[in-house]
Amino acid sequence: MPAQPTLSDVIAALDALWPRDRAEQWDAVGTVCGEVTDPEARVGRVLFAVDPVRQVADEAVAKGAELLVTHHPLYLRGTTTVATDTFKGRVVHTLIRGGVALHVAHTNADTADPGVSDALAAALGLRVLRPLVPDPTDPAGRRGLGRICETERPLALGDLLEQAAASLPVTAQGIRAAGDPDTPVRTVAVCGGSGDSLFDAVRAAGVDAYLTADLRHHPASEAREHAPLALLDAAHFATEWPWCEQAAAQLDAIAEREGWDLRTEVSRTVTDPWTAHAPSLPQESPLAGPPGALRTAPTDTEPTPGAPN
């Protein structure tokens, strides 16, 4: 009969998928808490999520997971306390009391093959051609930041915008676009998470459009002035959530190969911090007039488009 693997066995498998030494120097990846040295510590259920926030920690405990794997670190800049008068300390205590270990794969998952941007491209129905910023240590040329992709068929920017909105998790922000909606799009650069630091690479790639998250005013404005590049700006959470499904499938494959009695699950809790959006409406003065209709983000109990509800 299949046996549940030890926590150290599962952590070793995760480290093989996303080696810690491939993370950026400023990053904080790896195991945050858990009995990794206890040979009796077993894992039968693993929950994948984007953010290690209290709501996700509670979900992991409620679902009986012994391991929570998140993309974002809990302690990116270090700490001197895990006391429960801090929200991160409460997360640590919730997990430890519930017997849940926490493991983080961040920039080492961004550049992996497959990585975060591969999952984003797959969710959008794009075919990956190569990394946007190749990892010079990868002789195969498959690892790196972002991905350069092509559409299955030529699309107008407006069609790509609607396709992205229908494919990614619902957030209050939705997806913004810069460019003529009728602009033809054949090649697309994507980067899960904050991607406006990669505009030089995007321009060098000569793509028609760039989809990422957290685009700031000045970098986006300057990118549009440099070249006729269409931009699509999604919520940070939405661009990285598809990786959770991809990562769970990767661990599932390892469990099947090793004969482990292990189940994976992907959290559908929307942890994007923004909860409402009021669209601008035409009016006589930008400082006067009736407010727009309020649009609220979904709760963790509502369906998440792009997710296996």
Side-chain angles (χ1 to χ4, degrees):
M1 293 291 292
Q4 290 184 347
T6 64
L7 176 59
S8 61
D9 286 338
V10 179
I11 295 300
L14 300 180
D15 282 338
L17 290 172
W18 313 295
R20 303 185 197 193
D21 60 3
R22 290 182 186 160
E24 296 290 337
Q25 289 186 347
W26 52 263
D27 205 0
V29 301
T31 307
V32 179
C33 64
E35 294 283 356
V36 293
T37 60
D38 183 356
E40 300 301 319
R42 300 281 171 172
V43 176
R45 186 184 295 263
V46 181
L47 181 68
F48 286 83
V50 175
D51 297 297
V53 294
R54 178 64 184 270
Q55 192 174 9
V56 170
D58 289 340
E59 180 183 359
V61 173
K63 290 182 174 177
E66 291 86 11
L67 174 62
L68 170 63
V69 179
T70 65
H71 181 51
H72 289 150
L74 179 63
Y75 289 106
L76 184 57
R77 294 177 177 84
T79 188
T80 59
T81 177
V82 293
T84 56
D85 58 355
T86 65
F87 90 85
K88 294 185 178 184
R90 289 195 298 273
V91 167
V92 171
H93 281 260
T94 296
L95 293 174
I96 292 176
R97 283 198 303 265
V100 184
L102 172 62
H103 187 85
V104 173
H106 192 212
T107 54
N108 49 334
D110 287 332
T111 59
D113 172 34
V116 170
S117 292
D118 290 291
L120 174 58
L124 298 170
L126 302 174
R127 186 169 74 90
V128 172
L129 301 177
R130 60 188 183 276
L132 176 61
V133 182
D135 181 346
T137 68
D138 177 22
R142 297 180 59 87
R143 296 198 307 266
L145 282 175
R147 294 295 184 266
I148 297 173
C149 313
E150 66 179 8
T151 61
E152 291 186 359
R153 56 182 176 79
L155 292 175
L157 173 60
D159 293 333
L160 179 60
L161 177 65
E162 291 184 4
Q163 181 173 310
S167 303
L168 297 179
V170 173
T171 60
Q173 172 183 318
I175 302 178
R176 304 182 295 181
D180 185 337
D182 294 326
T183 298
V185 174
R186 183 59 174 162
T187 54
V188 184
V190 301
C191 179
S194 304
D196 63 15
S197 65
L198 304 182
F199 272 130
D200 287 344
V202 172
R203 283 191 289 270
V207 293
D208 301 319
Y210 181 37
L211 187 150
T212 187
D214 299 338
L215 288 181
R216 295 168 295 164
H217 174 86
H218 292 295
S221 176
E222 291 173 6
R224 291 281 297 159
E225 293 295 324
H226 275 293
L229 175 68
L231 302 177
L232 295 97
D233 180 36
H236 193 119
F237 164 84
T239 64
E240 293 180 331
W241 185 87
W243 172 80
C244 295
E245 284 197 316
Q246 176 181 275
Q250 289 178 275
L251 184 56
D252 283 338
I254 293 174
E256 182 176 358
R257 184 171 67 244
E258 298 293 333
W260 291 345
D261 179 16
L262 181 71
R263 296 180 60 187
T264 64
E265 188 170 346
V266 175
S267 173
R268 297 180 181 86
T269 301
V270 177
T271 54
D272 187 77
W274 305 106
T275 58
H277 167 69
S280 299
L281 298 176
Q283 47 194 321
E284 293 181 3
S285 166
L287 301 180
L294 188 66
R295 297 181 181 178
T296 59
T299 67
D300 60 326
T301 60
E302 294 177 346
T304 301
N309 295 295

